[in-house]
Amino acid sequence: MSTLIMKFGGTSVGSAEAIEQVGSIVQSHNQDWEQLVVVVSAMRGVTDTLIRCAELAVQGEEDQYQSLIEKINEGNHAAMEEVISDGAEQQQLSAQFDEYIAELSAYCRSIQVLGEVTPRGMDTITSMGERMNAPLVAAALRGQGLSAQAVDAAQLIVTDDSFQHANPIEDETRKKVREQLQPLLSESIIPVVTGFVAATQDGILTTLGRGGSDFTAAILGDSLDASEVWTWTDVDGVMTADPRIVANARVIPELSFSEVSELAYFGAKVLHPKTLRPIIERDIPLWVKNTFNPDFAGTKIIRSSPSIEGKVTAITTIRDLSLVTVEGRGMLGIPGIAARTFAAVARQGASVLMISQASSEQSICFVIPTKTVLGVIQSIESEMELELSRRDIDRVWAQPDIVIVTAVGAGLRNTPGIAGRIFSALGDAGINVIAIAQGSSEFSISIVVAEQEADEAMRQIHREVILNG
Ligand code: ASP
Ligand code: MG
């Protein structure tokens, strides 16, 4: 049984024309697959607006949140009037929108009364974007002569209660997805499923985290043993670098799961970082395609891409970081300093992105988000009070405004010389390398540079190891 899951992101359903474009894409692939499932995000900007409504409600700004709700309402109706011509469909949708909008105002009002919004409350509010959009897209598809039906993923995806970033419970989800979707699919009806949204076993709404519709598509792909998952977005695929920084960045035709995991980890905003989890095990290929350039193939993500020796696939950055150094001659040979340092970091809830220690053992360096630096330094200083007073540790300090630039590529494995070429390119351009790290997976090399040199570092590395191959 060939099954395709297609997910359309916020910009793909961001306007009436975009929704029509979605219709023609679905139309043109419908015949090629025995079963087709569509997953949709909220319309562009709606999730942000919903979050803003909740925040304004907390602050008691009733006029302001009411006017944002009205804006969402107008957006819904404007899109509906443009894409749906059937009178009965319009009436039904309009009634549905009114219900959601009334619900949304009621939630905001209760947030205002309570003066706070819980993560659970936030999920109920943010889920509205997808829940309003799926019926609209389903009606638009029907308008193009397809049989389609909106499905609320709260009926399909069962999660724990980690509100705002809930984790799916695999077996129950699989069971529900099959129970709910199979009857539609066997009648050749295309389910149009809300992305991002899920529910606990008790039916309380949850969400999968910002950008979570990709994850929804992958979860459905897993549950239905799909042949492929396609995520439609507004770019041609995964790029070798951010094209706003590296002008000659290009689309990567094929990427392996492990390469894209490094990219997701290192902040490439292509896919929700959890997207690959459900599909890796079942080896389901995932394509990233452009709604506005549908004839372009896009990027295919598969178990193992042909790893060309020495090939770097992409360059990414993580910004707003600081490098913390714990240094002192008395650290040499004292066991437990590293463990205590990182325990102190962990107590602040800071995530460590990179660690290095020289073999002289006179310093430990690590990179953390700048917003966590103050707390982390205080926490280490109090942990090391004794060592500091004895001068075994001289100081704990941070260098702000640094960036991690990472080169990712399966071809880095067992290929000598790549790191050398990267450093020469940076050296020739006069860029100072502050620290380096390579994971033992050898799918990436990371280099720490100063913020003001990061863009140039990206361009140099891109030129040296991607364009020159
Ligand atoms: N609408 C949600 C968000 O903006 C989920 C998604 O777009 O994938 O984060
Ligand atoms: Mg997205």
Side-chain angles (χ1 to χ4, degrees):
M1 179 70 71
S2 68
T3 304
L4 173 66
I5 318 288
M6 292 211 268
K7 173 256 170 179
F8 293 93
T11 45
S12 305
V13 289
S15 64
E17 294 111 83
I19 294 178
E20 273 165 11
Q21 175 72 352
V22 168
S24 72
I25 289 172
V26 173
Q27 189 79 269
S28 68
H29 294 285
N30 190 31
Q31 299 303 322
D32 303 340
W33 303 84
E34 287 160 278
Q35 305 192 132
L36 185 60
V37 177
V38 168
V39 175
V40 290
S41 296
M43 276 199 259
R44 181 181 48 207
V46 169
T47 310
D48 290 330
T49 308
L50 290 166
I51 293 171
R52 190 74 198 118
C53 287
E55 289 167 352
L56 288 166
V58 172
Q59 294 158 15
E61 299 289 353
E62 186 168 353
D63 292 349
Q64 289 189 43
Y65 73 69
Q66 285 299 358
S67 86
L68 286 185
I69 293 174
E70 189 41 41
K71 245 178 75 186
I72 294 174
N73 192 25
E74 282 164 14
N76 284 341
H77 282 92
M80 176 186 81
E81 271 148 34
E82 277 194 63
V83 294
I84 315 290
S85 47
D86 184 87
E89 286 272 24
Q90 278 206 7
Q91 240 175 9
Q92 206 195 334
L93 259 179
S94 197
Q96 248 171 318
F97 288 156
D98 289 347
E99 236 171 84
Y100 281 126
I101 291 294
E103 231 180 280
L104 178 57
S105 313
Y107 290 137
C108 287
R109 223 165 298 126
S110 50
I111 289 173
Q112 183 180 357
V113 173
L114 294 170
E116 68 163 351
V117 56
T118 58
R120 172 175 165 173
M122 201 53 131
D123 275 354
T124 302
I125 289 192
T126 52
S127 72
M128 295 266 176
E130 274 72 9
R131 291 165 71 218
M132 292 185 298
N133 200 30
L136 175 65
V137 174
L141 295 183
R142 287 193 294 270
Q144 300 208 10
L146 293 155
S147 50
Q149 185 177 315
V151 178
D152 190 336
Q155 312 295 325
L156 307 177
I157 298 176
V158 184
T159 66
D160 63 10
D161 61 359
S162 310
F163 295 105
Q164 301 196 293
H165 49 87
N167 305 294
I169 300 168
E170 196 181 325
D171 293 345
E172 286 172 59
T173 299
R174 189 178 173 84
K175 192 163 156 272
K176 279 205 165 184
V177 168
R178 291 181 163 252
E179 271 169 16
Q180 304 282 328
L181 297 189
Q182 222 35 267
L184 299 179
L185 291 169
S186 51
E187 283 184 57
S188 299
I189 297 170
I190 302 168
V192 179
V193 180
T194 56
F196 183 53
V197 180
T200 64
Q201 275 155 326
D202 301 329
I204 297 162
L205 279 168
T206 57
T207 67
L208 303 174
R210 293 307 307 272
S213 300
D214 299 328
F215 192 24
T216 304
I219 295 167
L220 298 183
D222 174 22
S223 299
L224 292 169
D225 298 326
S227 326
E228 295 190 4
V229 175
W230 297 2
T231 65
W232 291 90
T233 168
D234 57 355
V235 291
D236 274 339
V238 184
M239 309 280 292
T240 52
D242 183 341
R244 287 166 304 181
I245 297 167
V246 180
N248 45 15
R250 51 191 190 202
V251 173
I252 305 166
E254 221 167 61
L255 264 173
S256 67
F257 288 140
S258 26
E259 286 171 318
V260 86
S261 311
E262 296 279 346
L263 287 174
Y265 181 71
F266 281 108
K269 290 207 171 66
V270 198
L271 288 170
H272 186 279
K274 289 185 191 164
T275 307
L276 294 176
R277 285 188 205 174
I279 61 174
I280 283 179
E281 270 171 46
R282 280 183 213 278
D283 212 353
I284 302 171
L286 179 125
W287 288 82
V288 179
K289 288 172 177 282
N290 189 350
T291 305
F292 306 100
N293 186 14
D295 296 330
F296 187 82
T299 299
K300 186 182 191 187
I301 303 169
I302 45 174
R303 179 180 291 262
S304 49
S305 69
S307 123
I308 301 160
E309 207 168 289
K311 182 105 183 80
V312 173
T313 316
I315 319 276
T316 58
T317 55
I318 317 182
R319 291 167 193 267
D320 301 321
L321 302 175
S322 293
L323 179 75
V324 176
T325 304
V326 179
E327 67 183 20
R329 275 179 290 277
M331 286 164 60
L332 179 70
I334 303 181
I337 294 273
R340 283 169 53 208
T341 300
F342 291 110
V345 177
R347 282 198 290 277
Q348 294 296 310
S351 64
V352 177
L353 290 112
M354 219 173 105
I355 303 175
S356 81
Q357 180 179 27
S359 60
S360 67
E361 291 186 47
Q362 300 201 355
S363 68
I364 300 172
C365 304
F366 54 91
V367 176
I368 54 176
T370 296
K371 62 177 190 293
T372 60
V373 157
L374 277 179
V376 162
I377 290 187
Q378 276 165 9
S379 174
I380 297 173
E381 281 176 346
S382 79
E383 172 66 39
M384 301 294 176
E385 209 177 336
L386 185 65
E387 286 77 6
L388 281 161
S389 72
R390 285 194 198 136
R391 304 301 303 266
D392 286 342
I393 291 177
D394 295 320
R395 61 178 186 146
V396 182
W397 60 287
Q399 175 173 358
D401 304 322
I402 61 151
V403 172
I404 298 181
V405 179
T406 300
V408 177
L412 286 173
R413 214 177 191 136
N414 307 325
T415 311
I418 290 277
R421 281 171 60 201
I422 291 176
F423 295 127
S424 310
L426 295 176
D428 292 346
I431 294 168
N432 182 37
V433 175
I434 299 168
I436 52 174
Q438 178 171 36
S440 57
S441 71
E442 289 186 50
F443 286 123
S444 67
I445 296 176
S446 295
I447 292 150
V448 175
V449 297
E451 171 84 55
Q452 72 270 20
E453 293 187 323
D455 290 356
E456 190 53 29
M458 276 190 95
R459 289 189 278 264
Q460 291 296 336
I461 299 173
H462 192 267
R463 182 184 49 74
E464 176 62 37
V465 293
I466 293 191
L467 295 183
N468 297 345

